[in-house]
Structure formats: structure tokens, C-alpha cells
Amino acid sequence: MTSDIRVMFWFRTDLRLHDSPALQAALSLNPSALFPVWCWDPNYVYKHRVGINRFRFLLESMQTLSDRITEIEPNSQLLVVRGEPTYLLPLLWSRWRITHLVFEKDTSAYGRRRDAAILAAAKTASVIVVAVQGHHLYDPEEVTRRNKGKPTMTISSLQKIADGIGNVPKPLPAPQSLPLPKLTSNLSKRNELLLALAESLKGITNFAVSDDIDLNSSAFGGQRTEKVNCYDSIDGGNGEFSVPSIQSIGMETIENERGNNNDSFKIKGGEAEALTRLEKLCKKPDYIATFSKPNTSPGNSIQDASTTLLSPYLKFGCLGVRKMWWDIEEAKKKYKGTKTTTPPQNLNGQLLFRDMYACAEFAVGDNFTRIRVYDSEGVSITPRPLGDAVSEQRLAAFKEGRTGFPWIDALMRQLKQEGWMHHLGRHSVAAFLTRGQCWISWERGAEIFDEYLIDWDPCSNPGNWMWLSCSAFYSQYFKLYGLVSFPSKYDASGKLVRQYCPELANFPDKFIYEPHAAPLKIQKKAGCIIGVDYPAPILDEKKQKEENMVRMKACFAKQFYGTSEEVLNGTADEILKGSHGISLPSNAKEISSTTPWTIAASKNSTSKLKRKASTEETK
DNA sequence: GTAGAAGTTGATCAC
DNA sequence: AGTGATCAACTTCTA
């Protein structure tokens, strides 16, 4: 008699049924029962910075996934269990007599730590784990192996390795049937199945989730205003294993406030929405075949965005990346013209960059987010002073979109409101906050993006901040984005500014990106006095830019960037001060975190990125 | 080991 | 208005 295969399919980075190599692997085990589980992890609720926009998108995507499962198998659904996965899942394995745990591989830092613990627990419990690559075009583990353990620091190195691996695999269709999540063979109706599952949870003791540090609470500048009660029970409190509500994560107030805004701007979550958007995109073969990132406009509003807006769906795996790759390839065939674009600037190139950051992060390991240039601020994720009041004021103004520079403010307000910003807009604001004007370390800016972006990615977000701050990936620090010239190139009329900074709406085009330069007469006519109705610039941008350029030059001359010893141990500032007479922001005191999700960087990580990286975390 | 080329997406000015 | 030269000069990759 063959053994009874009972699979727990653990959804994490893959809120979809199409193009899922992991789900395919689960079904190919030919299981007698399949439990589609989402573990509502308190680490995500409390220990990662997540604002309302991303939570909302996630919850919508979870609900859509659950509905889709039910569509295929009316007596099944997504089983949302609330708790720390390393604690809760092993209990469920035993209660549900699970033989196999199957999931899509998550190579990000938190994913690696969590899954290592899960793997160990599974070994103890004699549960067989099947982890399948599916979130990227290529497996970061394989890319790193082929790159001899080194991180992919340029797109060409990633492309070269990708060429060696071969074609991106073709997407898989969604399954046509799914086994039931049944505890005993005589059950087959959904309410009976759920009842039995809820019954099986009885007696699980010590079900406590720590909220000792809540990065999303208002104390940490987050958007949580009320108490979290989603952890009051494992199954949601009514035996339904339902998707948590906004209310249960303590963000109902902010959601209601947002509800008063224009609802049509919201980016809706879910697999169906993702596939619809992709389908629409593929009806524009000219757009796809000639797509060139540098020529897309960061000045468009979200309704007529010049890019695809598919990144949130890729982030949560609502859209399979292979599906996107091959549908694009197919659409290109319908292009009648002769001028086509190629990676890295075309759409395929954008997907390759996503892989590049994931592979680099995997190769560097836990030190990835410690890479920086020019100062040692912001190492810990707990709150800490920047070291001086001026920097704090600048950071706060930046986050709230009141720097007095309309291009920056419009982009930052768009980000907070919509959870999205055009890629080149992200370039503008990131360069402005770091090496350009404000001289604030990139982690503090990245934290704002952590909270506000729907498409936040654990590799791409820090990676791009490193890029723009010239901490890694990019080193041409003498290139900067103008606060007037750059946006004017795309939109001289300042449409985005007029939308997100309505107080400036009546300024003439000539002054829309620099209203502070307008004569008082024009300010009065526009009904907006600078310094009263709209902030005066928080800094002298030309002066700051020039000063910072000198600082950057000095940093690069001394090789104070990346993971150099002087940067990591905090002596870089002092040395620079001594040798150049430049006053750098005073060092913030590092508050080392003792929280379990943060693993302190190894002490011997003193060499440059290029010289290390071959040994760690490549197992 | 070394030299030369290349590197997702600049700003400014001259014409 | 749009193109092209110049600016200043980094790191990484390739031969």
C-alpha cells in the first residue's frame, strides 16, 4: 500500500495559481489532501515597516487567491492561520498529519532565516520539505553559484550568467483541480472541513505574539492607530480561517481617512487584476517593443502612468514573472516596426534588474543592507537620532512632502497617497535625500519607502537606494538630478505638481518647479504665498549640492563606501573631517538591536564588497 | 597584471 | 527645440 501524501502548501511570495512551479510540484506529489495555507506572520505586522496601502493590497490579494481556490474546488479555500510560522506550522503539521511541506523559495534575508528554522523543525517532525524557485526569472542560488559566490553588481554580469543558464522557463497554467484540505476521509463539504480544522486547533497553548516593538505604531512614525486584534485566535475567531480585516490590524482609521480621497487612484490587489493588466499591456505591441525606461515619464499621474504598474503584482506574486516575460515576448511578434529596444532599458531589462538585486542580496547575505557610503548612520532598525536637528527636520519634511521643492514634494505625496511612484521619480527623491542635497544616509529614506510602497521588495528597494546614493551598484556621483531641469524635460507644465500640491495649482508653468523664485506679485496672483501657503525651500539646494559633491569626492578618494571598515566602524566621518576640514553630520549613536529578526552583521566583514562575498550564505 | 572599454536612465552649453 | 560636445572621473569587466 502506498503511503498517504498530505501536503501543506504554504503561500508566501506567490499569491497566484497560474505560473506556479511550486504549486505544480505540490500537485505532482499526487496528494490525498492539500492544505492551502497563508500564515499571517506577526513579523510582517509588527517588525517590518508596512503602511496601509501595502496591507490593503496584500489583503485584497489574499482574498482573491482564496476565491480563486474556491472557484476551482468549491470545498476549499485559502486557510489563513494567525501566528509566528516557526511556532505555529509545526503544530499544524502534527494536528493535520502533514507529510510534505511545499512552498516557493524566498531567498530574501528574512525569508532565509525563517525558512532555515522551518527546515530544522520539519526535519524533527519528519515532514519532507519541497522548496521551489519561482519568484524570479532565475534562481538566485544558481546565479550566485555560477558567479562563484560573488554578488551581481552590474546588469551585464547578471545578463551574462542568465545567458549561460538559458531561456526563462515557460509559464505553467493554473491547475484545474485541487485536493481537499481534509482531516478524515469521510468529510468533503467545506463547512465540515473547516469545522474539523478549527476543532483540531484546540489545546494549542501559549499562543502569544509579541508586540513589544511595533514599527508600524505611531510611536515609530507608522500608520497604526488602533489595537491589533488579529492574533486573538489562530483561525480568525470564528473557525473560518478567513482573511484578516483592516480593522484587525489596527489601521481602520487611516483606511477610512483614505476612503474619503479619490478611490479610483487605488491600485487593487489580486491575481485577476494582475492578469487583466498584463492582457491590456500585451494589446500594445508597439509600446512593449519600443519601451525604453529612460524615456518613460515620471511626471504622469497614476491613471496614465508611462510604465506598466505591474510591479506590485510581481512583488506579491499575483503575477508570475515567467508569464510576464513570455507574454511580452509573444506580444512583440505583433510589432510591425523596425526599431526595437533591448535589455537593459526595455521591459525584459526591468525584470532582469529585479533579478540582479535579488541575486546580489542573496550573495552578500545579511550584510546587504549595511552597505553604505560616507557615513555610519542608521545601522539599527530601532529608532535613533540622525545626530543633528537639521537632518531630522529635513527627513521629516521629505517624508511629508513639504521640502519646498515641488518636484520632490509632489512625488512624495503621490507615494504616500497611492503607494506608488514612477521609477525615475524614485531616482529624483532618493538622490535628493542622500548625496544630492540633504546628506542623509540612504537607510532612512529606504525606511520611508518600506512603509509607503506597495511594490516594496526586500532586495530592489535597498538596492536602488544604494544605487542612487552611490553606495553600491553605481558610482558616478557627479551625476545628479536637477529639481527643475529634470522634471521640465518630461513635463514643462507641472501636471504632477498641480495634482499633488494643489496649493501651487495656479502658478504659471515658468515657476511651477520653483515657486520660491516667482516675484511676490505672481505668488499673490497664484493665491499662494511661499513660506505661508507652501513651504519655502528647506535648504539652499545649489550650495548643498556643491558641498556634498566635494564630500562625495573625498569619500571616494578614500574608498569610504560600500562595506569598508571605516564606514562600518564609524571612523570615516572623523577622518574626513580631519583631512578636509569638511563638517560632516555628527555621528548618530548606534542602538544595536536585540530583536530576534535582526542578525548582527559579522565582525569580520571589513573588506570591500568585491573582496568578500564568496563564502557566506551560499549553501 | 594592466590597460582600455563599458557602465539602465545627467547637466549644461553651443549651435 | 533638439542634437551633440563637454564636463569629470568612478568602478567593473574584458582582453
Side-chain angles (χ1 to χ4, degrees), chain A residues 454-502:
Chain A
I454 296 175
D455 65 19
W456 176 86
D457 179 272
C459 311
S460 297
N461 188 46
N464 275 304
W465 275 90
M466 288 174 203
W467 182 297
L468 270 306
S469 62
C470 285
S471 305
F473 300 104
Y474 188 70
S475 51
Q476 289 176 276
Y477 60 82
F478 43 88
K479 295 189 176 187
L480 262 176
Y481 295 82
L483 302 180
V484 177
S485 57
F486 185 73
S488 301
K489 199 167 65 182
Y490 298 98
D491 178 20
S493 68
K495 205 168 59 179
L496 200 77
V497 171
R498 292 174 203 280
Q499 182 179 351
Y500 288 99
C501 304

Short mmCIF file of all heavy atoms in Angstrom, two decimals, chain A residues 454-502:
data_model
loop_
_atom_site.label_atom_id
_atom_site.label_comp_id
_atom_site.label_asym_id
_atom_site.label_seq_id
_atom_site.Cartn_x
_atom_site.Cartn_y
_atom_site.Cartn_z
N ILE A 454 3.73 50.05 -2.25
CA ILE A 454 3.03 48.77 -2.38
C ILE A 454 3.99 47.72 -2.93
O ILE A 454 4.02 46.59 -2.49
CB ILE A 454 1.80 48.91 -3.30
CG1 ILE A 454 0.78 49.88 -2.69
CG2 ILE A 454 1.14 47.55 -3.53
CD1 ILE A 454 -0.39 50.17 -3.61
N ASP A 455 4.81 48.13 -3.89
CA ASP A 455 5.67 47.15 -4.56
C ASP A 455 7.00 46.95 -3.85
O ASP A 455 7.95 46.44 -4.43
CB ASP A 455 5.90 47.54 -6.03
CG ASP A 455 6.68 48.86 -6.17
OD1 ASP A 455 7.34 49.29 -5.20
OD2 ASP A 455 6.63 49.45 -7.26
N TRP A 456 7.06 47.35 -2.59
CA TRP A 456 8.30 47.22 -1.82
C TRP A 456 8.88 45.81 -1.94
O TRP A 456 8.17 44.81 -1.76
CB TRP A 456 8.04 47.52 -0.34
CG TRP A 456 9.26 47.31 0.49
CD1 TRP A 456 10.26 48.20 0.73
CD2 TRP A 456 9.62 46.11 1.21
NE1 TRP A 456 11.22 47.64 1.54
CE2 TRP A 456 10.85 46.37 1.84
CE3 TRP A 456 9.03 44.86 1.36
CZ2 TRP A 456 11.50 45.42 2.62
CZ3 TRP A 456 9.68 43.91 2.14
CH2 TRP A 456 10.89 44.19 2.76
N ASP A 457 10.16 45.77 -2.22
CA ASP A 457 10.83 44.49 -2.37
C ASP A 457 12.08 44.49 -1.49
O ASP A 457 12.82 45.48 -1.47
CB ASP A 457 11.22 44.30 -3.84
CG ASP A 457 11.93 42.99 -4.09
OD1 ASP A 457 13.18 42.95 -3.96
OD2 ASP A 457 11.26 42.00 -4.41
N PRO A 458 12.30 43.41 -0.75
CA PRO A 458 13.42 43.40 0.21
C PRO A 458 14.79 43.54 -0.45
O PRO A 458 15.76 43.86 0.24
CB PRO A 458 13.29 42.04 0.90
CG PRO A 458 12.45 41.21 -0.01
CD PRO A 458 11.55 42.17 -0.72
N CYS A 459 14.88 43.29 -1.74
CA CYS A 459 16.17 43.42 -2.44
C CYS A 459 16.22 44.67 -3.30
O CYS A 459 17.17 45.44 -3.24
CB CYS A 459 16.44 42.18 -3.29
SG CYS A 459 16.19 40.64 -2.42
N SER A 460 15.18 44.88 -4.08
CA SER A 460 15.17 46.02 -5.01
C SER A 460 15.14 47.36 -4.29
O SER A 460 15.77 48.32 -4.73
CB SER A 460 13.98 45.94 -5.96
OG SER A 460 14.05 44.79 -6.75
N ASN A 461 14.41 47.43 -3.19
CA ASN A 461 14.30 48.73 -2.52
C ASN A 461 15.64 49.19 -1.93
O ASN A 461 16.15 50.24 -2.31
CB ASN A 461 13.20 48.72 -1.46
CG ASN A 461 12.95 50.13 -0.91
OD1 ASN A 461 12.84 51.09 -1.66
ND2 ASN A 461 12.91 50.25 0.41
N PRO A 462 16.27 48.41 -1.06
CA PRO A 462 17.59 48.84 -0.60
C PRO A 462 18.60 48.94 -1.74
O PRO A 462 19.41 49.86 -1.77
CB PRO A 462 18.00 47.77 0.41
CG PRO A 462 17.04 46.66 0.28
CD PRO A 462 15.81 47.20 -0.38
N GLY A 463 18.52 48.03 -2.70
CA GLY A 463 19.46 48.05 -3.81
C GLY A 463 19.40 49.35 -4.60
O GLY A 463 20.42 49.96 -4.91
N ASN A 464 18.19 49.79 -4.88
CA ASN A 464 18.05 51.04 -5.63
C ASN A 464 18.47 52.24 -4.80
O ASN A 464 19.01 53.20 -5.34
CB ASN A 464 16.60 51.20 -6.12
CG ASN A 464 16.36 50.48 -7.44
OD1 ASN A 464 17.06 50.73 -8.41
ND2 ASN A 464 15.39 49.59 -7.47
N TRP A 465 18.22 52.20 -3.50
CA TRP A 465 18.70 53.30 -2.65
C TRP A 465 20.22 53.33 -2.62
O TRP A 465 20.83 54.38 -2.61
CB TRP A 465 18.12 53.19 -1.23
CG TRP A 465 16.77 53.83 -1.13
CD1 TRP A 465 15.56 53.22 -1.32
CD2 TRP A 465 16.48 55.21 -0.84
NE1 TRP A 465 14.55 54.14 -1.17
CE2 TRP A 465 15.08 55.36 -0.87
CE3 TRP A 465 17.27 56.33 -0.56
CZ2 TRP A 465 14.45 56.59 -0.63
CZ3 TRP A 465 16.64 57.56 -0.32
CH2 TRP A 465 15.25 57.68 -0.35
N MET A 466 20.83 52.16 -2.60
CA MET A 466 22.30 52.12 -2.67
C MET A 466 22.77 52.71 -3.99
O MET A 466 23.75 53.44 -4.04
CB MET A 466 22.79 50.67 -2.57
CG MET A 466 22.64 50.07 -1.20
SD MET A 466 23.10 48.32 -1.29
CE MET A 466 22.22 47.69 0.11
N TRP A 467 22.04 52.34 -5.04
CA TRP A 467 22.39 52.85 -6.37
C TRP A 467 22.38 54.38 -6.39
O TRP A 467 23.34 55.03 -6.76
CB TRP A 467 21.39 52.30 -7.39
CG TRP A 467 21.65 52.69 -8.80
CD1 TRP A 467 21.65 53.95 -9.33
CD2 TRP A 467 21.98 51.80 -9.88
NE1 TRP A 467 21.92 53.90 -10.66
CE2 TRP A 467 22.13 52.61 -11.03
CE3 TRP A 467 22.13 50.42 -9.99
CZ2 TRP A 467 22.45 52.06 -12.27
CZ3 TRP A 467 22.43 49.89 -11.23
CH2 TRP A 467 22.60 50.70 -12.35
N LEU A 468 21.24 54.94 -5.99
CA LEU A 468 21.08 56.38 -6.11
C LEU A 468 21.97 57.16 -5.15
O LEU A 468 22.35 58.28 -5.41
CB LEU A 468 19.62 56.77 -5.89
CG LEU A 468 18.76 56.79 -7.16
CD1 LEU A 468 19.40 57.68 -8.23
CD2 LEU A 468 18.54 55.42 -7.76
N SER A 469 22.32 56.53 -4.03
CA SER A 469 23.19 57.21 -3.08
C SER A 469 24.66 56.95 -3.41
O SER A 469 25.54 57.42 -2.70
CB SER A 469 22.87 56.76 -1.65
OG SER A 469 23.10 55.36 -1.52
N CYS A 470 24.90 56.20 -4.47
CA CYS A 470 26.27 55.81 -4.86
C CYS A 470 26.97 55.03 -3.76
O CYS A 470 28.17 55.19 -3.51
CB CYS A 470 27.12 57.03 -5.24
SG CYS A 470 26.69 57.68 -6.85
N SER A 471 26.20 54.21 -3.04
CA SER A 471 26.79 53.35 -2.03
C SER A 471 27.23 52.03 -2.64
O SER A 471 28.15 51.39 -2.16
CB SER A 471 25.77 53.05 -0.92
OG SER A 471 25.27 54.25 -0.39
N ALA A 472 26.57 51.62 -3.69
CA ALA A 472 26.89 50.38 -4.40
C ALA A 472 26.16 50.40 -5.72
O ALA A 472 25.22 51.19 -5.89
CB ALA A 472 26.48 49.16 -3.58
N PHE A 473 26.54 49.57 -6.64
CA PHE A 473 25.95 49.40 -7.97
C PHE A 473 26.25 50.56 -8.92
O PHE A 473 26.32 50.38 -10.12
CB PHE A 473 24.43 49.21 -7.92
CG PHE A 473 23.99 48.02 -7.12
CD1 PHE A 473 23.48 48.16 -5.84
CD2 PHE A 473 24.12 46.74 -7.64
CE1 PHE A 473 23.09 47.06 -5.10
CE2 PHE A 473 23.72 45.64 -6.92
CZ PHE A 473 23.21 45.80 -5.64
N TYR A 474 26.40 51.75 -8.38
CA TYR A 474 26.55 52.94 -9.21
C TYR A 474 27.55 53.85 -8.52
O TYR A 474 27.54 53.97 -7.29
CB TYR A 474 25.19 53.64 -9.34
CG TYR A 474 25.13 54.78 -10.31
CD1 TYR A 474 25.20 54.57 -11.68
CD2 TYR A 474 24.99 56.11 -9.87
CE1 TYR A 474 25.12 55.63 -12.58
CE2 TYR A 474 24.91 57.16 -10.75
CZ TYR A 474 24.98 56.92 -12.11
OH TYR A 474 24.90 57.96 -12.99
N SER A 475 28.40 54.48 -9.31
CA SER A 475 29.44 55.27 -8.65
C SER A 475 29.67 56.64 -9.26
O SER A 475 30.52 57.38 -8.82
CB SER A 475 30.75 54.48 -8.69
OG SER A 475 31.01 54.06 -10.01
N GLN A 476 28.87 57.00 -10.27
CA GLN A 476 29.10 58.29 -10.90
C GLN A 476 28.40 59.39 -10.12
O GLN A 476 27.41 59.97 -10.57
CB GLN A 476 28.68 58.21 -12.36
CG GLN A 476 29.66 57.34 -13.13
CD GLN A 476 29.27 57.13 -14.57
OE1 GLN A 476 28.48 56.24 -14.87
NE2 GLN A 476 29.80 57.95 -15.46
N TYR A 477 28.99 59.68 -8.99
CA TYR A 477 28.33 60.56 -8.04
C TYR A 477 28.22 62.00 -8.54
O TYR A 477 27.45 62.79 -8.02
CB TYR A 477 29.07 60.55 -6.70
CG TYR A 477 30.51 61.00 -6.79
CD1 TYR A 477 30.84 62.33 -6.81
CD2 TYR A 477 31.54 60.06 -6.87
CE1 TYR A 477 32.15 62.75 -6.91
CE2 TYR A 477 32.85 60.46 -6.97
CZ TYR A 477 33.16 61.80 -7.00
OH TYR A 477 34.45 62.21 -7.10
N PHE A 478 29.00 62.34 -9.55
CA PHE A 478 28.94 63.71 -10.07
C PHE A 478 27.71 63.94 -10.94
O PHE A 478 27.41 65.05 -11.33
CB PHE A 478 30.22 64.06 -10.83
CG PHE A 478 30.69 62.96 -11.73
CD1 PHE A 478 30.22 62.86 -13.02
CD2 PHE A 478 31.59 61.99 -11.25
CE1 PHE A 478 30.64 61.83 -13.84
CE2 PHE A 478 32.01 60.95 -12.08
CZ PHE A 478 31.54 60.87 -13.38
N LYS A 479 26.98 62.84 -11.21
CA LYS A 479 25.74 63.00 -11.95
C LYS A 479 24.57 63.13 -10.98
O LYS A 479 24.40 62.31 -10.09
CB LYS A 479 25.52 61.79 -12.86
CG LYS A 479 26.56 61.68 -13.95
CD LYS A 479 26.20 60.63 -14.96
CE LYS A 479 27.24 60.63 -16.08
NZ LYS A 479 26.86 59.74 -17.19
N LEU A 480 23.80 64.18 -11.16
CA LEU A 480 22.67 64.42 -10.26
C LEU A 480 21.41 64.79 -11.04
O LEU A 480 21.47 65.08 -12.22
CB LEU A 480 23.02 65.53 -9.28
CG LEU A 480 23.51 65.08 -7.91
CD1 LEU A 480 23.91 66.27 -7.07
CD2 LEU A 480 22.42 64.29 -7.19
N TYR A 481 20.32 64.78 -10.35
CA TYR A 481 19.04 65.13 -10.98
C TYR A 481 18.66 66.56 -10.59
O TYR A 481 18.58 66.87 -9.41
CB TYR A 481 17.95 64.17 -10.53
CG TYR A 481 18.18 62.76 -10.98
CD1 TYR A 481 19.02 61.91 -10.26
CD2 TYR A 481 17.58 62.27 -12.13
CE1 TYR A 481 19.26 60.62 -10.68
CE2 TYR A 481 17.81 60.98 -12.57
CZ TYR A 481 18.66 60.16 -11.83
OH TYR A 481 18.89 58.88 -12.26
N GLY A 482 18.44 67.37 -11.61
CA GLY A 482 18.01 68.73 -11.32
C GLY A 482 16.60 68.75 -10.78
O GLY A 482 15.77 67.92 -11.14
N LEU A 483 16.30 69.70 -9.91
CA LEU A 483 14.96 69.76 -9.31
C LEU A 483 14.00 70.54 -10.20
O LEU A 483 12.79 70.50 -10.00
CB LEU A 483 15.04 70.41 -7.92
CG LEU A 483 15.97 69.69 -6.93
CD1 LEU A 483 15.98 70.40 -5.59
CD2 LEU A 483 15.56 68.23 -6.77
N VAL A 484 14.56 71.23 -11.18
CA VAL A 484 13.74 71.95 -12.15
C VAL A 484 13.98 71.39 -13.55
O VAL A 484 13.04 71.02 -14.25
CB VAL A 484 14.07 73.47 -12.13
CG1 VAL A 484 13.26 74.20 -13.20
CG2 VAL A 484 13.80 74.05 -10.76
N SER A 485 15.25 71.26 -13.91
CA SER A 485 15.57 70.84 -15.28
C SER A 485 15.09 69.42 -15.57
O SER A 485 14.57 69.13 -16.65
CB SER A 485 17.06 70.94 -15.52
OG SER A 485 17.77 70.16 -14.57
N PHE A 486 15.27 68.54 -14.61
CA PHE A 486 14.89 67.13 -14.85
C PHE A 486 13.39 66.96 -15.09
O PHE A 486 12.99 66.43 -16.13
CB PHE A 486 15.40 66.23 -13.71
CG PHE A 486 15.15 64.78 -13.94
CD1 PHE A 486 15.89 64.06 -14.88
CD2 PHE A 486 14.16 64.10 -13.25
CE1 PHE A 486 15.66 62.71 -15.11
CE2 PHE A 486 13.92 62.75 -13.46
CZ PHE A 486 14.67 62.06 -14.40
N PRO A 487 12.54 67.45 -14.17
CA PRO A 487 11.10 67.29 -14.45
C PRO A 487 10.64 68.07 -15.67
O PRO A 487 9.73 67.63 -16.38
CB PRO A 487 10.43 67.80 -13.17
CG PRO A 487 11.45 68.64 -12.49
CD PRO A 487 12.78 68.03 -12.84
N SER A 488 11.27 69.23 -15.93
CA SER A 488 10.85 70.04 -17.07
C SER A 488 11.02 69.30 -18.39
O SER A 488 10.26 69.50 -19.34
CB SER A 488 11.67 71.34 -17.13
OG SER A 488 11.49 72.06 -15.93
N LYS A 489 12.01 68.44 -18.41
CA LYS A 489 12.29 67.66 -19.61
C LYS A 489 11.07 66.78 -19.99
O LYS A 489 10.80 66.54 -21.15
CB LYS A 489 13.51 66.78 -19.32
CG LYS A 489 14.21 66.25 -20.52
CD LYS A 489 15.58 65.67 -20.15
CE LYS A 489 15.47 64.44 -19.26
NZ LYS A 489 16.79 63.91 -18.87
N TYR A 490 10.39 66.31 -18.96
CA TYR A 490 9.25 65.42 -19.20
C TYR A 490 7.92 66.16 -19.25
O TYR A 490 7.05 65.83 -20.01
CB TYR A 490 9.18 64.34 -18.11
CG TYR A 490 10.38 63.45 -18.07
CD1 TYR A 490 11.42 63.65 -17.18
CD2 TYR A 490 10.49 62.40 -18.98
CE1 TYR A 490 12.54 62.83 -17.16
CE2 TYR A 490 11.59 61.57 -18.99
CZ TYR A 490 12.62 61.78 -18.07
OH TYR A 490 13.71 60.97 -18.07
N ASP A 491 7.78 67.12 -18.37
CA ASP A 491 6.51 67.84 -18.31
C ASP A 491 6.74 69.27 -17.85
O ASP A 491 6.83 69.55 -16.65
CB ASP A 491 5.54 67.13 -17.37
CG ASP A 491 4.23 67.89 -17.26
OD1 ASP A 491 3.94 68.71 -18.16
OD2 ASP A 491 3.51 67.69 -16.27
N ALA A 492 6.81 70.17 -18.83
CA ALA A 492 7.09 71.58 -18.52
C ALA A 492 5.90 72.24 -17.82
O ALA A 492 6.05 73.29 -17.21
CB ALA A 492 7.45 72.32 -19.79
N SER A 493 4.73 71.61 -17.90
CA SER A 493 3.55 72.25 -17.32
C SER A 493 3.30 71.84 -15.87
O SER A 493 2.42 72.38 -15.22
CB SER A 493 2.31 71.93 -18.17
OG SER A 493 2.00 70.56 -18.04
N GLY A 494 4.07 70.87 -15.38
CA GLY A 494 3.98 70.52 -13.97
C GLY A 494 2.68 69.88 -13.53
O GLY A 494 2.17 70.14 -12.45
N LYS A 495 2.17 69.00 -14.39
CA LYS A 495 0.89 68.33 -14.11
C LYS A 495 0.89 67.62 -12.75
O LYS A 495 -0.06 67.74 -11.97
CB LYS A 495 0.64 67.31 -15.22
CG LYS A 495 -0.80 66.96 -15.45
CD LYS A 495 -0.97 66.18 -16.76
CE LYS A 495 -0.15 64.89 -16.75
NZ LYS A 495 -0.27 64.08 -17.96
N LEU A 496 1.98 66.89 -12.48
CA LEU A 496 2.04 66.13 -11.23
C LEU A 496 2.04 67.06 -10.01
O LEU A 496 1.38 66.79 -9.00
CB LEU A 496 3.30 65.25 -11.22
CG LEU A 496 3.26 64.09 -10.24
CD1 LEU A 496 2.40 62.96 -10.78
CD2 LEU A 496 4.67 63.56 -9.94
N VAL A 497 2.77 68.16 -10.12
CA VAL A 497 2.81 69.13 -9.03
C VAL A 497 1.42 69.70 -8.79
O VAL A 497 0.96 69.80 -7.65
CB VAL A 497 3.82 70.25 -9.34
CG1 VAL A 497 3.69 71.38 -8.32
CG2 VAL A 497 5.24 69.70 -9.36
N ARG A 498 0.74 70.05 -9.86
CA ARG A 498 -0.59 70.65 -9.73
C ARG A 498 -1.58 69.67 -9.10
O ARG A 498 -2.50 70.06 -8.39
CB ARG A 498 -1.09 71.13 -11.08
CG ARG A 498 -0.28 72.31 -11.61
CD ARG A 498 -0.68 72.71 -13.03
NE ARG A 498 0.42 73.42 -13.68
CZ ARG A 498 0.70 74.70 -13.47
NH1 ARG A 498 -0.04 75.42 -12.66
NH2 ARG A 498 1.74 75.27 -14.07
N GLN A 499 -1.37 68.38 -9.38
CA GLN A 499 -2.27 67.38 -8.80
C GLN A 499 -2.00 67.14 -7.31
O GLN A 499 -2.92 67.10 -6.51
CB GLN A 499 -2.14 66.05 -9.58
CG GLN A 499 -3.08 64.97 -9.06
CD GLN A 499 -2.97 63.67 -9.85
OE1 GLN A 499 -2.31 63.60 -10.91
NE2 GLN A 499 -3.60 62.63 -9.34
N TYR A 500 -0.74 66.97 -6.97
CA TYR A 500 -0.44 66.57 -5.59
C TYR A 500 -0.10 67.74 -4.66
O TYR A 500 -0.08 67.58 -3.45
CB TYR A 500 0.66 65.51 -5.58
CG TYR A 500 0.15 64.19 -6.09
CD1 TYR A 500 0.37 63.77 -7.40
CD2 TYR A 500 -0.63 63.37 -5.27
CE1 TYR A 500 -0.15 62.58 -7.87
CE2 TYR A 500 -1.16 62.19 -5.73
CZ TYR A 500 -0.92 61.79 -7.03
OH TYR A 500 -1.43 60.62 -7.50
N CYS A 501 0.25 68.88 -5.24
CA CYS A 501 0.44 70.08 -4.43
C CYS A 501 -0.56 71.11 -4.93
O CYS A 501 -0.17 72.09 -5.59
CB CYS A 501 1.86 70.60 -4.55
SG CYS A 501 3.13 69.40 -4.13
N PRO A 502 -1.85 70.90 -4.62
CA PRO A 502 -2.88 71.77 -5.22
C PRO A 502 -2.72 73.23 -4.84
O PRO A 502 -3.21 74.11 -5.56
CB PRO A 502 -4.19 71.19 -4.67
CG PRO A 502 -3.81 70.33 -3.51
CD PRO A 502 -2.41 69.86 -3.75
#
